[in-house]
């Protein structure tokens, strides 16, 4: 499975992946998912929001146990983030079948659409739409860097954007969701364990800071005559780091758009996207309030303007305690640990019991071509997921 998936969306120049939602690479990944399901005799269905589901025992009684993750990527992301969970899910089905085991209730392997939000700006768009946490009209109007609307991109890929919206009927069919993912940190390395169970996800969100100024000639405009929004932005980047440290939080400006984007031109506008995460919702709110105030004061000094728009916000997620404890016990008292990374499991937690399994990441690096997991640890992860499926789907709810 790895050999067949690795070439899709691979960038030779960066060594990473560019599998953006509803792009050619993403469609190739979705076709790969369908083919893997067909090879196993699983029934594939695509829900109204573009999420793919491969069903094993679809007609069995009881609510389904869902497993899986996503196949899209951040710009030049690593090979394991998302795909490890999908591949491990298919592999877990293989392991269970080889053992002669069959589920007592349906099993569904999920490939959630647009988990990373790399193209249209809203993370976990597929699961947010599914659960009613993203307005369909807003979703259809989201645009990428080239001005392409999400609705148009979906339509070009053969999916009806008018169908977007909450799918209570589908959610009512699912009893639990367990997502396996590479750990995006070094917790398991320090614990010297190959697999762990997640406890919670930090509250996190994305904010767009638009700094407005006045375009002018870089070689003839005196410093005292400039209204340079780049100065306001640069100050805000440094302020974000300082205030995040004070709150025990994380703040990252990782994306920027400059107009007119000329080497010899003072910018007229700088748009920058902030990723903010914190141990508590109060800490995150304080971080953003203090940062916005500091940015506005600096913009006023620079003769610039500032608008701040919250594009997404996810409160703290506590995974289902009973499910978490059951999995930890099943996996021989696997360690439990929190994460600052968002996942579809965190979105679904608002509607159904969810849990996550983490596989050790030797370097702790993620969202980078350097992301890595050892084959032996991946195999431990597959067998851990298979054990979880056996434990949870061996009888009715």
């Amino acid at each position: 499975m790895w050999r067949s998936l690795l070439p899709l969306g691979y960038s030779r120049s960066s060594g990473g992946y560019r599998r953006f939602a509803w792009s050619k690479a993403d469609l190739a990944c979705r076709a790969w998912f369908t083919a893997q399901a067909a090879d196993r005799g699983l029934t594939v269905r695509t829900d109204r929001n573009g999420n793919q589901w491969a069903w094993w025992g679809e007609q069995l009684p009881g609510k389904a146990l869902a497993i899986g993750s996503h196949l899209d990527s951040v710009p030049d992301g690593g090979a394991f983030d998302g795909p490890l969970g999908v591949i491990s899910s298919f592999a877990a089905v293989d392991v269970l079948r080889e053992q002669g085991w069959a589920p007592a209730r349906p099993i569904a392997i999920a490939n959630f659409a647009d988990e990373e939000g790399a193209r249209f700006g809203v993370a976990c768009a597929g699961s947010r739409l599914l659960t009613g946490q993203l307005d369909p009209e807003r979703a259809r109007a989201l645009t990428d860097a080239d001005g392409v609307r999400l609705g148009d991109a979906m339509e070009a890929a053969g999916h009806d954007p008018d169908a977007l919206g909450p799918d209570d009927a589908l959610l009512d069919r699912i009893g639990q969701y367990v997502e396996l993912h590479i750990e995006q940190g070094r917790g398991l390395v320090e614990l010297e364990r190959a697999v762990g169970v997640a406890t919670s996800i930090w509250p996190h969100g994305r904010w767009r800071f638009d700094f407005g100024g006045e375009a002018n000639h870089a070689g003839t405009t005196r410093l005292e005559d400039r209204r340079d929004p780049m100065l306001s932005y640069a100050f805000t980047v440094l302020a974000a780091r300082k205030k995040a440290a004070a709150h025990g939080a994380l703040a990252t400006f990782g994306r920027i758009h400059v107009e007119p984007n000329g080497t010899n031109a003072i910018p007229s506008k700088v748009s920058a996207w902030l990723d903010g995460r914190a141990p508590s919702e109060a800490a995150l709110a304080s971080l953003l309030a203090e940062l916005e105030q500091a940015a506005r004061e600096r913009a006023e000094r620079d003769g610039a303007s500032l608008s701040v728009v919250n594009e997404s916000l996810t409160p703290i997620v506590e995974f289902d305690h009973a499910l978490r404890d059951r999995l930890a016990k099943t996996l021989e008292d696997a360690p439990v640990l929190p994460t600052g990374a968002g996942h579809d499991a965190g979105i679904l937690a608002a509607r159904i019991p969810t849990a996550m399994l983490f596989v050790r990441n030797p370097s702790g690096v993620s969202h980078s071509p350097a992301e890595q997991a050892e084959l032996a640890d991946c195999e431990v992860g597959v067998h851990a997921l298979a054990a979880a499926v056996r434990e949870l789907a061996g009888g009715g709810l």
Side-chain angles (χ1 to χ4, degrees):
M1 282 188 283
W2 275 116
R3 284 195 296 271
S4 61
L5 181 62
L6 284 176
L8 306 182
Y10 178 72
S11 169
R12 292 184 178 275
S13 62
S14 71
Y17 288 86
R18 299 173 182 175
R19 297 166 174 163
F20 307 140
W22 306 108
S23 67
K24 182 178 179 181
D26 183 48
L27 296 181
C29 289
R30 294 170 67 84
W32 175 92
F33 181 90
T34 300
Q36 292 298 324
D39 287 346
R40 292 162 175 80
L42 307 181
T43 302
V44 176
R45 302 195 187 281
T46 301
D47 68 25
R48 60 192 298 177
N49 299 299
N51 305 307
Q52 292 179 293
W53 303 85
W55 290 87
W56 179 18
E58 185 179 18
Q59 303 306 320
L60 290 172
K63 292 192 174 185
L65 169 65
I67 55 179
S69 193
H70 64 95
L71 294 174
D72 65 309
S73 77
V74 298
D76 295 323
F80 293 84
D81 181 350
L84 179 62
V86 176
I87 288 177
S88 296
S89 296
F90 283 123
V93 168
D94 295 342
V95 166
L96 291 167
R97 282 178 164 173
E98 288 169 3
Q99 295 173 349
W101 183 87
R105 60 186 176 110
I107 306 293
I109 299 175
N111 170 33
F112 283 101
D114 200 3
E115 193 271 354
E116 297 291 5
R119 183 177 180 186
F120 297 103
V122 176
C124 299
S127 55
R128 288 183 191 275
L129 284 162
L130 171 64
T131 56
Q133 298 176 50
L134 176 59
D135 179 71
E137 185 174 352
R138 180 195 170 198
R140 284 188 286 267
L142 294 171
T143 57
D144 65 12
D146 297 320
V148 178
R149 295 171 64 254
L150 171 61
D152 294 335
M154 292 183 70
E155 190 168 23
H159 191 86
D160 180 12
D162 292 334
L164 292 179
D167 196 334
D168 292 334
L170 174 57
L171 287 171
D172 286 344
R173 297 181 62 192
I174 300 171
Q176 296 159 318
Y177 174 59
V178 178
E179 180 173 359
L180 181 144
H181 204 280
I182 190 171
E183 188 193 2
Q184 295 167 297
R186 292 179 50 82
L188 290 172
V189 173
E190 295 171 356
L191 293 169
E192 298 183 347
R193 296 291 293 271
V195 172
V197 179
T199 57
S200 61
I201 297 177
W202 279 14
H204 56 280
R206 297 180 180 186
W207 290 261
R208 189 183 77 245
F209 283 63
D210 290 319
F211 298 93
E214 181 179 56
N216 215 327
H217 197 293
T220 62
T221 308
R222 298 184 306 173
L223 294 180
E224 58 267 31
D225 293 337
R226 299 183 179 206
R227 295 175 53 217
D228 188 350
M230 187 64 78
L231 296 177
S232 307
Y233 163 68
F235 169 87
T236 305
V237 172
L238 298 176
R241 173 60 181 262
K242 183 176 181 179
K243 294 184 182 300
H247 286 281
L250 300 169
T252 307
F253 280 101
R255 176 184 168 201
I256 182 174
H257 178 75
V258 182
E259 299 177 14
N261 205 30
T263 303
N264 58 350
I266 300 167
S268 61
K269 183 178 181 181
V270 176
S271 295
W273 284 260
L274 173 75
D275 181 298
R277 304 166 193 252
S280 69
E281 294 170 27
L284 183 59
S286 295
L287 167 65
L288 264 296
E290 293 176 15
L291 181 59
E292 182 175 346
Q293 179 180 352
R296 289 193 183 281
E297 291 174 356
R298 177 66 200 211
E300 185 176 353
R301 286 171 52 193
D302 295 328
S305 62
L306 171 64
S307 68
V308 180
V309 177
N310 174 231
E311 294 191 335
S312 67
L313 181 61
T314 303
I316 191 169
V317 174
E318 289 282 348
F319 289 114
D320 186 83
H321 289 193
L323 182 56
R324 176 199 67 196
D325 294 345
R326 187 175 176 185
L327 290 179
K329 183 178 180 180
T330 298
L331 303 179
E332 301 178 352
D333 294 321
V336 294
L337 62 167
T339 179
H343 301 280
D344 292 305
I347 303 301
L348 293 180
R351 296 291 303 272
I352 59 176
T354 64
M356 290 193 70
L357 303 180
F358 290 137
V359 173
R360 179 166 49 192
N361 180 342
S363 68
V365 174
S366 188
H367 283 187
S368 158
E371 181 181 83
Q372 185 63 36
E374 299 294 336
L375 176 60
D377 287 348
C378 292
E379 290 177 344
V380 173
V382 168
H383 286 277
L385 183 58
V389 172
R390 178 188 286 275
E391 168 70 15
L392 298 173
L397 284 174

